[in-house]
Amino acid sequence: MSLAAQLPALQIVVPLLTAPVLVLLRGANLAWAAATAASVMAFVIAVALTLEVQSVGVIVYEMGAWPAPFGIELRIDGLNALVLLVITGASALTLLCGRASLAGEIDPDRLALFYAAWLIALAGLAGIAVTGDAFNVFVFMEISSLATYIIIAAGPNRQALTATFKYLIMGTVGATFYLIGVGLVYMMTGTLNFADMEARIGEVTDQRPILVAAGFITVGLALKAAVFPLHVWLPNAYTHAPHIVTAFIAACSTKVAIYVLLRFDFVVFQGNLTGHAFQFASFLAPLALLGILIGSAVAMFEGHLKRLLAYSSVAQVGYILLGASFASKAGITAGVVHMFNHALAKGALFLAVAALAMRLSGLRLADIAGAGRTMPWTAAALALAGASLVGIPGTAGFISKWLLLSAALEQGPLGIVAVVVIVLSSLAAVIYMWRVIERLYFGTPAGNALSASEPPWMLVAGVWVAALANVYFGLMPGLPVGLSEAAAEELLRHLP
Amino acid sequence: MTVFFGIFLLTLLLIIAVGIVRAQNLFTAVMLTGIFSLIMAANFFVLDAADVALTEAAVGAGISTVLLLGALALTPSQEQDVRGGRILALFVVTVTTAVVVYATFEKPRLGDPQAPVHTHVAPWYLEKTPELIDIPNVVTAVLGAYRAYDTLGEVIVVLTAGIGVLFLLGLPGAVGRRKADDLSSGRMHLNHHLVPQVVGRLLVPFILLFALYVQFHGEYGPGGGFQAGAIFAAGLILFALIEGEREAYTILSPRLLMVLMGSGALLYGGVGVANMLLGGNFLEYSVLASDPVKGQQWGIIAIELGVGITVASVLLAIYHAFAARGL
Amino acid sequence: MMAQVLDVASWIMLLGGGIFVLVGGIGMLRLPDLYTRMHAASLTDTLGTLLILGGIMLQAGLSLASIKLAAIAGFLMLTGPTATYALANAALMSGFTPQDAELPEDLKP
Amino acid sequence: MSSVEAIQLALILPFAGALLIALTGRWPNLRETVTLVIAAALTGVVWSIVPDIMAGGRPHLTVAQLFGDLSIAFTVEPLGMLFAALAATLWIVNSIYSIGYMRGNKESKQTRFYICFAIAIGAVMGVAFADNLLTLFLCYEILTISTYPLVAHKGDKPTIASARIYLGILLGTSIGLLLPAIIWTYLVAGTLTFTPGGILAGNIAGPAMGFMLLLFVLGIGKAAIMPVHRWLPAAMVAPTPVSALLHAVAVVKAGVFTVTKVIIYVFGVETLFAEPAGGWLLYAAAFTIIAASVVALRQQNLKRMLAYSTIGQLSYVIMAAAVLTPLSEIGAAVHIVAHAFGKITLFFAAGAIYTASKKTELHQLRGIGARMPWTMAAFTIGALSMIGVPPTGGFVSKWFILAGAFQSDNYVAIFTIILSTVLNAAYFLPIVFAAWFAKETGDSKPHGEAPFASVLALSLTALATLGFFFFNQGVLDLESQLVE
Amino acid sequence: MELLGLFNYWVFAVLLMVGFYAVIAKPNMIKKLLGLGIFQAAVFLLYITMDKVEGGTAPIIQPGVDAIYSNPLPQVLILTAIVVGISTTALGLAVVVRIYEAYGTIEEDETQRQDLDA
């Protein structure tokens, strides 16, 4: 069998098997090198897969050559290709440029274990993205969750521990809910394979358990995705995790949960539950809108940079969900594109934050005052990424805002509300990003912002790569938009 | 008859569960958890799930109790009484339950042979296994072959837990500043108590032997890597309890434990990669031997071994991490 | 003929075991303090279980099953008393004094 | 050099300039030389496009093609040409003046000042040449953000507060109203590219169109039509050259320019003329003119008075555009130029007075003409141009607007113009009179003219104001293309 | 008998409820973990209940004998789930130990109070 045919498996196997090697290895630098190499390789594989998907369409890989539904199959189409790009890209970039920052925050003789956990988290997220089997999703969800708890708990101060515990409890409850849902579906269909479920649910005469299953799965995944009322774990986790870790998980972890949510709700349930589109819209849209409003509002008054960005993430998750809840092609395209673009923006922002944190005494807005003069490159990149978050034309953020608004305007009454909310939250975004930028450039330097110098060049370079990616995909949005449209087609094939 | 026996067990479960939640003293709660797991295991056995019963007994009743006690030795064992938050909690919980019960009324009845579960995928396993893999225990076949990818994930989960605990608590002699030999061999063991020590010394070899039996008998009867690993770990933990950490380190040094943790998972993954190199898919054991069936069997044996090694070493390492923290 | 005898015997043993377990359970609840209760408990997990196991062995006759049961019985013989000892010892260490009984000097906490 | 290359150059030069200024910031003389050189080069480049446009050419340049019809692209057409040429030319003058002003007042952070100034000019070029609404929006936002540091230049609490108002209103309106309007346009018209005759023609009608127009006009906050005019007085905290930039060269002009462009190329003159729902714009503009003049009448601070005068003058342009007759459209375009020269002169004068005597209030200006003859002469010319007295540029534009109004018997417009002319006279002439003929109040200490650079600059613009009365044929030819 | 067939599911529901209650209502972290354990055990019960067949035996095939075998798949899934559960518990306990060392308490409301004061 050719190497190309093995790519789907390798996507998971490479990071998954590098991790145990790291446990055997000693020495932080060696571990870092190995982990980075693995991530980069994973990214390369992801790119190759994306190209293949674009050329030949859906790729299927049977684990152990057992045909689905008896064995586990990996399925890769436009949607998860995009998700894979985000995950692996984020990991590769953050690891490449994050070494110094991590070494500063974590006890050196534990770094090897830390990198191992990081790789496992990466493999878990990628595993969720590629698999076509409902239970396998659970397994890899737990892999990624456990690993994520570890790398979050690595945070320097004690709040990291409590944040981790909260996340651990809520995450496990979410996963268990998902497991219950899968169990009920399995009970009624006798299969665990997405495609097979999709085919068989239609035949199920009594739909009650399926409805309940849909409820459990949606709630469980919403917990993982930090959808509005269930977002309480997110701010602390993002705030107290090591900065580089924040950049990594902010870019991808919630996205993956949303990906599964979309796949399950649209592919498995959409076509088979009567009035599902309506239910989906009427349950999720209000939550999305509330999330957007409240997230943005809190961010406006937040005084700590990371916390501010974390709450903005809550709002952004709302955007993605809102797009999906329209259950229209335009809507889902917008949602998925935003999934991608928000990853770009937040990744860049948190990387910049990490860069600031390496030189400044703290991350409250007061601490970063005037850093724009002492750390011009970092500050400029932060401003650029911020522009993307706000949605200034020419940046990636604008593309998704545009798509989202135009999708909303198709919707009629709900759409008008959505438009109003989106506009309001964009204004809020302007305000909270501006508060940051104003402090950076026009604030009078206090504390050690005066003496601060640029962080190691690798970090700055990484920040800039991420920031420029925002511009590039703002001007050439062909790739994400194309893949997302394909994804939307795939997800909506059940709609009349 | 079995139905009523089942109902009896289940009712007992409920009572114990409530007891666990209500108990103010955490030691009591932990002990009740152990009993809970045992009864759950018995219940699984009644429901024809021998492997699961064995695992639940070994992991749930054995290891997790030990870990909980290890944690309790380091934290206060008295729960403060709750203030507020009850109403909301009760509300949420009641809603959830109501939803579940609502769902039950259209579920297939217990043991209904016509349930989709029994008509769709499972029959294929039951009838194909003899010809494709040719081992009696279909559970092991599914676990080790058809859904081996899940099982790999499972091993990684265990490994991750190990990594996590070692990362958080450190492991003298392997992770963290502390050396193995600054563990005073005082307190957390019983070697000034003659009776337990003698009996323990007597039992340990048998336990380890039994572990090996479970490990390699997995293809034929209930058992396999996980159960074996758990039992093996239990045996060594007992040894550590009666002889003290230092002694335990002399047989399995922490560094060696870490190596084993990694290499078990690597063994598992290595089999899969080998399959790739031999031109098959990942974890397609058939290519291991000229006769695909033989290949499957070798593959299963190999990966079960990997599972056993990782599980045992991880559980042991976790125990050591907790124990050493106390000294 | 032989079969019946065995059957009856086994049932007697099973019932006896059951009664002992029951008694043990009552003892657990009714007896005044830890040590006496432990006494009742140890009764349960030695004599009670042994009788029951024996009864089952008689049911099973000479087979692999009964050998396994024998092994189990053997292990119970070892572990039960040890556990009881360890428990009592721990209790004593942590200063539970038996009611109206004077401790020997060497065991004073 | 082909026109397309010229466009590229015109867009790149200012930003390159900003970079150079940043690099040479340590040596003020070098830095200011760079500024002037860049400004001159830009002007040359921009003017080099004029003949092509005169000949009816429409050079086009696409930077990036987004999905669908969306693109970042530039096309030069008469209106934009005029605006760009104006801005570029005034940049030179303004730079000369700034040098005098900044040095004269020993301002801090001068490098940042020049950098942001250059970026702002670059953004203006983008606005002027924009080929579609999206590009225009992008450059519009860059302009807003790049001018914030200029407004907040002084950096103390009250300044920052006013600067926030400035930024808040401009960003808020643009994102909250303009962007939805643009997206709506895209949905109904399927394109955003400016096309003669309007892209909305036939795609939307009735109240919807009126509402869309509302979104656009209020969304373009830079046009300072009431009630979104508040930022302009707030921005008075800025140093005078910045005020000049805001009022004459870049910001407000970008606003009215955008509105005119939207009316001509998005709605289409004929379409809007046929649509009664669009009529409100005329009244809004008229109201703004009168109200602003009345407010100006009651101001005591010179710069604030000028600010309100600007609000009024801008609405001339909008009203002219809203009269919707060929002549009035030309008038709108011409008035952009005329007002630019006149108002920049006035601000330069105000700045010069401040530099020389630190005077900011109207009552302090009694008899100052004796001390600063050149400055006050220029001021007088500017004032006359605002009122619209020949021989000043103001007269030309007012003439065309009136002519346009008569073309369609638009008595509202006619009445408004006449009334506002009276009001303008009422608040400008007393100052001029007092400055020349009133006795100076005792307390003020003696002072002479402002630094030479400033005086030179304001004299130049004053001359231009006069000159425009005589030599305006080129502009007319250029803009008459609008209505062919 | 009809309803007895559903008894397992009801027990599952109630166990779920008990465990879930402990997770969200109890501030004590170890108690939360114990509740989580019950919560997961309930799900195990759900799956294992599915695999039971009337008159079936454990799916260990004796050649020749044509017995009815219960469904192996849920058993495999739950084997996995059990291991996942213990892993989560172990990690959670480690975190709790660290929290106790850092805060001197394992009551969640107490730690929150300390964070607010800090």
Side-chain angles (χ1 to χ4, degrees), chain E residues 25-85:
Chain E
K26 296 283 181 177
N28 182 299
M29 294 178 176
I30 289 192
K31 213 47 171 312
K32 278 180 185 288
L33 287 176
L34 293 180
L36 213 51
I38 300 176
F39 189 59
Q40 289 168 324
V43 183
F44 305 162
L45 184 60
L46 169 73
Y47 275 75
I48 296 303
T49 306
M50 289 183 216
D51 83 334
K52 169 78 175 166
V53 187
E54 212 53 54
T57 69
I60 297 169
I61 294 167
Q62 298 102 341
V65 190
D66 58 345
I68 315 170
Y69 298 113
S70 60
N71 186 345
L73 188 48
Q75 303 192 20
V76 174
L77 304 185
I78 290 317
L79 275 178
T80 311
I82 290 177
V83 176
V84 169

Coordinates of all heavy atoms in Angstrom, one line a residue, chain E residues 25-85:
Chain E
A25 N -24.0 19.5 43.2 CA -24.4 20.1 44.5 C -23.3 20.1 45.6 O -23.3 21.0 46.5 CB -25.7 19.5 45.0
K26 N -22.4 19.2 45.5 CA -21.4 19.0 46.6 C -20.2 19.9 46.3 O -19.6 19.8 45.2 CB -21.0 17.6 46.8 CG -22.2 16.6 47.2 CD -22.5 16.8 48.6 CE -23.6 15.8 49.0 NZ -23.9 15.9 50.5
P27 N -19.8 20.8 47.2 CA -18.6 21.6 47.0 C -17.3 20.8 47.2 O -16.3 21.2 46.7 CB -18.8 22.7 48.0 CG -19.6 22.1 49.1 CD -20.5 21.1 48.5
N28 N -17.4 19.7 48.0 CA -16.2 18.9 48.3 C -15.7 18.2 47.0 O -16.5 17.5 46.4 CB -16.5 17.9 49.4 CG -15.2 17.1 49.7 OD1 -14.7 16.5 48.9 ND2 -14.8 17.3 51.0
M29 N -14.5 18.4 46.7 CA -14.0 18.0 45.4 C -13.9 16.5 45.3 O -14.3 15.9 44.3 CB -12.6 18.6 45.1 CG -12.7 20.1 44.9 SD -11.1 20.8 44.6 CE -11.6 22.5 44.4
I30 N -13.5 15.8 46.3 CA -13.4 14.3 46.3 C -14.8 13.8 46.2 O -15.1 12.9 45.4 CB -12.7 13.8 47.5 CG1 -11.2 14.1 47.4 CG2 -12.9 12.3 47.7 CD1 -10.4 13.4 48.4
K31 N -15.8 14.4 46.8 CA -17.2 14.0 46.7 C -17.6 14.1 45.3 O -18.3 13.3 44.7 CB -18.0 14.9 47.6 CG -19.2 14.2 48.3 CD -18.9 12.8 48.8 CE -20.0 12.2 49.6 NZ -20.7 13.0 50.6
K32 N -17.2 15.2 44.7 CA -17.6 15.4 43.2 C -17.1 14.2 42.4 O -17.8 13.7 41.6 CB -17.0 16.7 42.7 CG -17.8 18.0 43.0 CD -17.1 19.2 42.4 CE -17.8 20.5 42.8 NZ -19.1 20.6 42.1
L33 N -15.8 13.9 42.7 CA -15.2 12.8 41.9 C -16.0 11.5 42.1 O -16.3 10.7 41.2 CB -13.7 12.6 42.2 CG -12.8 13.7 41.7 CD1 -11.4 13.5 42.2 CD2 -12.9 13.7 40.2
L34 N -16.3 11.2 43.4 CA -17.1 10.0 43.7 C -18.4 10.1 42.9 O -18.8 9.1 42.3 CB -17.4 9.9 45.2 CG -16.2 9.7 46.1 CD1 -16.6 9.6 47.5 CD2 -15.4 8.4 45.6
G35 N -19.1 11.2 43.0 CA -20.3 11.4 42.2 C -20.1 11.1 40.8 O -20.9 10.3 40.1
L36 N -19.0 11.6 40.2 CA -18.7 11.4 38.8 C -18.6 9.9 38.6 O -19.1 9.4 37.6 CB -17.4 12.1 38.5 CG -17.2 12.6 37.1 CD1 -18.4 13.5 36.7 CD2 -15.9 13.4 37.0
G37 N -18.0 9.2 39.5 CA -17.9 7.7 39.4 C -19.2 7.1 39.3 O -19.5 6.3 38.4
I38 N -20.1 7.4 40.2 CA -21.5 6.8 40.1 C -22.1 7.2 38.8 O -22.7 6.3 38.1 CB -22.3 7.4 41.3 CG1 -21.7 7.0 42.6 CG2 -23.8 6.8 41.2 CD1 -22.4 7.6 43.8
F39 N -22.0 8.5 38.4 CA -22.6 8.9 37.2 C -22.1 8.1 36.0 O -23.0 7.6 35.2 CB -22.1 10.4 37.0 CG -22.7 11.1 35.9 CD1 -24.1 11.4 35.9 CD2 -21.9 11.7 34.8 CE1 -24.6 12.1 34.9 CE2 -22.5 12.4 33.8 CZ -23.9 12.6 33.8
Q40 N -20.8 7.8 35.9 CA -20.3 7.0 34.8 C -20.8 5.5 35.0 O -21.2 4.9 34.0 CB -18.8 7.0 34.8 CG -18.3 8.4 34.3 CD -16.8 8.5 34.5 OE1 -16.3 8.1 35.5 NE2 -16.2 9.2 33.6
A41 N -20.8 5.0 36.2 CA -21.2 3.6 36.4 C -22.7 3.4 35.9 O -23.0 2.4 35.3 CB -21.2 3.3 37.9
A42 N -23.5 4.5 36.1 CA -24.9 4.4 35.6 C -24.8 4.1 34.1 O -25.6 3.3 33.6 CB -25.6 5.7 35.9
V43 N -24.0 4.9 33.4 CA -23.9 4.7 31.9 C -23.4 3.3 31.6 O -24.0 2.6 30.7 CB -23.0 5.7 31.3 CG1 -23.0 5.6 29.8 CG2 -23.4 7.1 31.7
F44 N -22.4 2.8 32.4 CA -22.0 1.4 32.1 C -23.2 0.5 32.2 O -23.5 -0.4 31.3 CB -21.0 0.9 33.2 CG -19.8 1.8 33.3 CD1 -19.0 1.7 34.4 CD2 -19.5 2.7 32.3 CE1 -17.9 2.5 34.5 CE2 -18.4 3.5 32.4 CZ -17.6 3.4 33.5
L45 N -24.1 0.7 33.2 CA -25.2 -0.2 33.4 C -26.1 -0.1 32.1 O -26.6 -1.1 31.6 CB -26.0 0.3 34.6 CG -27.2 -0.6 35.0 CD1 -26.7 -2.0 35.3 CD2 -27.9 0.0 36.2
L46 N -26.3 1.1 31.6 CA -27.1 1.3 30.4 C -26.6 0.4 29.3 O -27.4 -0.4 28.7 CB -27.1 2.7 30.0 CG -27.7 3.0 28.6 CD1 -29.2 2.9 28.7 CD2 -27.3 4.4 28.1
Y47 N -25.3 0.5 29.1 CA -24.8 -0.3 27.9 C -24.9 -1.8 28.2 O -25.3 -2.6 27.3 CB -23.3 0.1 27.7 CG -23.1 1.3 26.8 CD1 -23.4 2.6 27.3 CD2 -22.7 1.2 25.5 CE1 -23.2 3.7 26.6 CE2 -22.5 2.3 24.7 CZ -22.8 3.6 25.3 OH -22.6 4.7 24.5
I48 N -24.5 -2.2 29.4 CA -24.5 -3.6 29.6 C -25.9 -4.2 29.6 O -26.1 -5.3 29.1 CB -23.8 -3.9 31.0 CG1 -22.3 -3.5 31.0 CG2 -23.9 -5.4 31.3 CD1 -21.5 -4.1 29.9
T49 N -26.9 -3.4 30.0 CA -28.2 -3.9 29.9 C -28.6 -4.2 28.5 O -29.3 -5.2 28.2 CB -29.2 -2.8 30.5 OG1 -28.7 -2.4 31.8 CG2 -30.6 -3.3 30.5
M50 N -28.1 -3.4 27.6 CA -28.4 -3.6 26.2 C -28.0 -5.0 25.7 O -28.6 -5.6 24.9 CB -27.7 -2.6 25.3 CG -28.2 -1.2 25.3 SD -27.2 -0.4 24.1 CE -27.0 1.2 24.9
D51 N -26.8 -5.5 26.2 CA -26.2 -6.6 25.6 C -26.8 -7.9 26.0 O -26.6 -8.9 25.4 CB -24.7 -6.6 25.8 CG -24.4 -7.3 27.1 OD1 -25.2 -7.2 28.0 OD2 -23.3 -7.8 27.3
K52 N -27.7 -7.9 27.0 CA -28.3 -9.1 27.5 C -29.3 -9.6 26.5 O -30.1 -8.9 26.0 CB -29.0 -8.8 28.9 CG -29.9 -9.9 29.4 CD -29.1 -11.0 30.0 CE -30.0 -12.0 30.6 NZ -29.3 -13.3 31.0
V53 N -29.2 -10.9 26.3 CA -30.2 -11.6 25.5 C -30.9 -12.6 26.3 O -30.3 -13.3 27.2 CB -29.6 -12.3 24.3 CG1 -30.7 -12.8 23.4 CG2 -28.7 -11.4 23.5
E54 N -32.2 -12.8 26.1 CA -33.0 -13.8 26.8 C -32.3 -15.1 26.7 O -32.0 -15.6 25.6 CB -34.4 -13.8 26.1 CG -35.5 -14.2 27.0 CD -35.6 -13.3 28.3 OE1 -35.6 -12.1 28.1 OE2 -35.6 -13.9 29.4
G55 N -32.0 -15.7 27.8 CA -31.4 -17.1 27.8 C -30.0 -17.1 27.2 O -29.6 -18.2 26.7
G56 N -29.3 -16.0 27.1 CA -28.0 -16.0 26.4 C -26.9 -16.3 27.5 O -27.2 -16.3 28.7
T57 N -25.7 -16.5 27.0 CA -24.5 -16.7 27.9 C -23.5 -15.7 27.4 O -23.6 -15.1 26.4 CB -24.0 -18.1 27.8 OG1 -23.4 -18.2 26.5 CG2 -25.0 -19.1 28.0
A58 N -22.4 -15.6 28.2 CA -21.3 -14.7 27.8 C -20.8 -15.1 26.5 O -20.7 -16.3 26.1 CB -20.2 -14.8 28.9
P59 N -20.4 -14.1 25.6 CA -20.0 -14.4 24.3 C -18.7 -15.1 24.2 O -17.7 -14.6 23.6 CB -20.0 -13.1 23.6 CG -19.7 -12.1 24.7 CD -20.3 -12.7 25.9
I60 N -18.6 -16.3 24.8 CA -17.4 -17.1 24.6 C -17.8 -18.4 23.9 O -18.5 -19.2 24.5 CB -16.7 -17.4 26.0 CG1 -16.3 -16.1 26.6 CG2 -15.5 -18.3 25.8 CD1 -15.9 -16.2 28.1
I61 N -17.4 -18.5 22.7 CA -18.0 -19.6 21.8 C -17.4 -20.9 22.2 O -16.2 -21.1 22.1 CB -17.7 -19.2 20.4 CG1 -18.4 -17.9 20.0 CG2 -18.1 -20.4 19.5 CD1 -18.0 -17.4 18.7
Q62 N -18.3 -21.8 22.6 CA -17.9 -23.2 22.7 C -18.2 -23.9 21.4 O -19.3 -23.9 21.0 CB -18.6 -23.9 23.9 CG -18.3 -23.3 25.2 CD -19.5 -22.4 25.7 OE1 -20.3 -22.0 24.9 NE2 -19.5 -22.2 27.0
P63 N -17.2 -24.5 20.7 CA -17.4 -25.1 19.5 C -18.5 -26.2 19.6 O -18.5 -26.9 20.7 CB -16.1 -25.7 19.1 CG -15.1 -25.2 20.0 CD -15.8 -24.6 21.2
G64 N -19.3 -26.4 18.7 CA -20.3 -27.5 18.7 C -21.6 -27.0 19.4 O -22.6 -27.1 18.8
V65 N -21.5 -26.4 20.6 CA -22.7 -26.0 21.3 C -23.3 -24.8 20.5 O -22.6 -23.8 20.2 CB -22.3 -25.5 22.7 CG1 -23.6 -25.3 23.5 CG2 -21.4 -26.6 23.4
D66 N -24.5 -24.9 20.2 CA -25.1 -23.7 19.5 C -26.0 -22.9 20.6 O -27.2 -23.1 20.7 CB -26.0 -24.0 18.3 CG -27.1 -25.0 18.7 OD1 -27.0 -25.6 19.8 OD2 -28.0 -25.2 17.9
A67 N -25.2 -22.2 21.4 CA -25.9 -21.4 22.5 C -26.3 -20.0 21.9 O -25.7 -19.6 20.9 CB -25.0 -21.3 23.7
I68 N -27.1 -19.3 22.6 CA -27.4 -17.9 22.2 C -26.3 -17.1 23.0 O -26.1 -17.3 24.2 CB -28.8 -17.4 22.7 CG1 -29.8 -18.5 22.3 CG2 -29.1 -16.1 22.1 CD1 -31.2 -18.2 22.9
Y69 N -25.6 -16.2 22.3 CA -24.6 -15.4 23.0 C -25.1 -14.0 23.1 O -25.7 -13.4 22.2 CB -23.3 -15.5 22.2 CG -22.8 -16.8 22.1 CD1 -22.7 -17.5 20.9 CD2 -22.3 -17.5 23.2 CE1 -22.2 -18.8 20.7 CE2 -21.8 -18.8 23.1 CZ -21.7 -19.4 21.9 OH -21.2 -20.7 21.8
S70 N -24.7 -13.4 24.2 CA -25.1 -12.0 24.4 C -24.1 -11.1 23.5 O -23.1 -11.6 23.1 CB -25.0 -11.6 25.9 OG -23.7 -11.8 26.3
N71 N -24.5 -9.9 23.4 CA -23.8 -9.0 22.4 C -22.5 -8.6 22.9 O -22.4 -8.0 24.0 CB -24.7 -7.8 22.2 CG -24.2 -6.9 21.1 OD1 -23.1 -7.0 20.7 ND2 -25.0 -6.0 20.6
P72 N -21.4 -8.9 22.2 CA -20.1 -8.5 22.7 C -19.8 -7.1 22.6 O -19.0 -6.5 23.4 CB -19.1 -9.3 21.8 CG -19.9 -9.5 20.5 CD -21.3 -9.6 20.9
L73 N -20.4 -6.4 21.6 CA -19.9 -5.0 21.4 C -20.1 -4.1 22.6 O -19.1 -3.4 23.0 CB -20.7 -4.4 20.2 CG -20.2 -3.1 19.6 CD1 -18.7 -3.1 19.4 CD2 -20.9 -2.8 18.3
P74 N -21.3 -4.0 23.2 CA -21.4 -3.1 24.4 C -20.3 -3.4 25.4 O -19.8 -2.5 26.1 CB -22.8 -3.3 24.9 CG -23.5 -3.8 23.7 CD -22.5 -4.6 22.9
Q75 N -20.0 -4.7 25.6 CA -19.0 -5.1 26.6 C -17.7 -4.4 26.3 O -17.1 -3.8 27.2 CB -18.9 -6.6 26.7 CG -20.2 -7.3 26.9 CD -20.0 -8.7 27.3 OE1 -18.9 -9.1 27.7 NE2 -21.0 -9.5 27.1
V76 N -17.3 -4.5 25.0 CA -16.0 -3.9 24.6 C -16.1 -2.4 24.9 O -15.1 -1.8 25.5 CB -15.8 -4.1 23.1 CG1 -14.5 -3.4 22.7 CG2 -15.6 -5.6 22.9
L77 N -17.2 -1.8 24.5 CA -17.3 -0.3 24.7 C -17.1 0.0 26.2 O -16.4 0.9 26.6 CB -18.6 0.2 24.2 CG -18.9 -0.1 22.8 CD1 -20.2 0.5 22.4 CD2 -17.8 0.3 21.8
I78 N -17.7 -0.8 27.1 CA -17.7 -0.4 28.5 C -16.4 -0.8 29.1 O -15.9 0.0 29.9 CB -18.9 -1.2 29.2 CG1 -20.2 -0.6 28.8 CG2 -18.7 -1.0 30.7 CD1 -20.2 1.0 28.7
L79 N -15.7 -1.8 28.6 CA -14.3 -2.0 29.0 C -13.5 -0.8 28.9 O -12.9 -0.2 29.8 CB -13.7 -3.2 28.2 CG -13.9 -4.6 28.7 CD1 -13.3 -5.6 27.8 CD2 -13.4 -4.7 30.1
T80 N -13.7 -0.2 27.6 CA -13.0 1.1 27.4 C -13.4 2.1 28.4 O -12.6 2.8 29.0 CB -13.3 1.5 25.9 OG1 -13.0 0.4 25.1 CG2 -12.4 2.7 25.6
A81 N -14.7 2.3 28.5 CA -15.3 3.3 29.3 C -14.8 3.2 30.7 O -14.4 4.2 31.4 CB -16.8 3.3 29.3
I82 N -14.7 2.0 31.3 CA -14.3 1.8 32.7 C -12.9 2.4 32.8 O -12.6 3.1 33.7 CB -14.3 0.3 33.1 CG1 -15.8 -0.1 33.2 CG2 -13.6 0.1 34.4 CD1 -15.9 -1.6 33.5
V83 N -12.0 2.0 31.9 CA -10.6 2.4 32.0 C -10.5 3.9 31.9 O -9.8 4.6 32.6 CB -9.8 1.7 30.9 CG1 -8.4 2.2 30.9 CG2 -9.8 0.2 31.1
V84 N -11.3 4.5 30.9 CA -11.3 5.9 30.8 C -11.7 6.5 32.2 O -11.1 7.5 32.7 CB -12.3 6.4 29.7 CG1 -12.5 7.9 29.8 CG2 -11.8 6.0 28.4
G85 N -12.8 5.9 32.8 CA -13.2 6.5 34.1 C -12.1 6.5 35.1 O -11.9 7.5 35.7

